[in-house]
Amino acid sequence: MNERIEKLKTFLAASPNDCFLNHALALEYVKLGDETEAKLLFERNLQHDPGYIATYYHLGKLLERIAATQEAIAIYEKGMAAAKQAGDMHTYNELQGAYEDLAY
């Protein structure tokens, strides 16, 4: 298994609720093409901290790749609301662009 994945798992063992580490691990699984594991990790992030807005875009793109279009649209919508609440207009605009590309 990938050395970065092993390191991230070690760090997560010490800090299991660290959204940054969990997100980074999910992205490593995306690189390996393991959409199932990545999806579980992204979803865990949002369950633990719905305000961790970086996860919405990547989960939405993953859902698009696995042809879960309606789920992706819903994730983008939730992400836009979270980004707006956080005052992060850059992320809001990225999510809105992905949403519009998919929904229209």
Side-chain angles (χ1 to χ4, degrees):
M1 190 174 286
N2 181 312
E3 184 178 322
R4 284 180 290 214
I5 288 176
E6 291 305 320
K7 284 183 181 180
L8 288 166
K9 284 183 174 183
T10 299
F11 294 144
L12 276 167
S15 300
N17 294 322
D18 187 310
C19 287
F20 176 80
L21 293 173
N22 194 52
H23 184 84
L25 182 58
L27 291 175
E28 289 300 320
Y29 281 114
V30 166
K31 289 178 193 174
L32 291 177
D34 189 342
E35 307 284 8
T36 302
E37 189 63 29
K39 183 176 182 279
L40 290 172
L41 291 165
F42 286 140
E43 289 172 341
R44 182 181 309 152
N45 245 15
L46 294 182
Q47 288 171 357
H48 175 71
D49 184 2
Y52 194 78
I53 56 176
T55 296
Y56 290 97
Y57 180 85
H58 293 282
L59 177 56
K61 285 297 181 184
L62 184 152
L63 292 167
E64 283 187 54
R65 284 192 302 277
I66 64 171
T69 303
Q70 293 307 311
E71 287 179 62
I73 288 171
I75 287 297
Y76 291 142
E77 289 172 340
K78 288 177 187 176
M80 286 186 290
K84 195 173 209 179
Q85 184 176 359
D88 185 340
M89 293 312 293
H90 176 75
T91 301
Y92 177 88
N93 290 333
E94 286 182 336
L95 289 162
Q96 183 180 32
Y99 170 82
E100 289 175 357
D101 287 346
L102 188 58
Y104 300 110

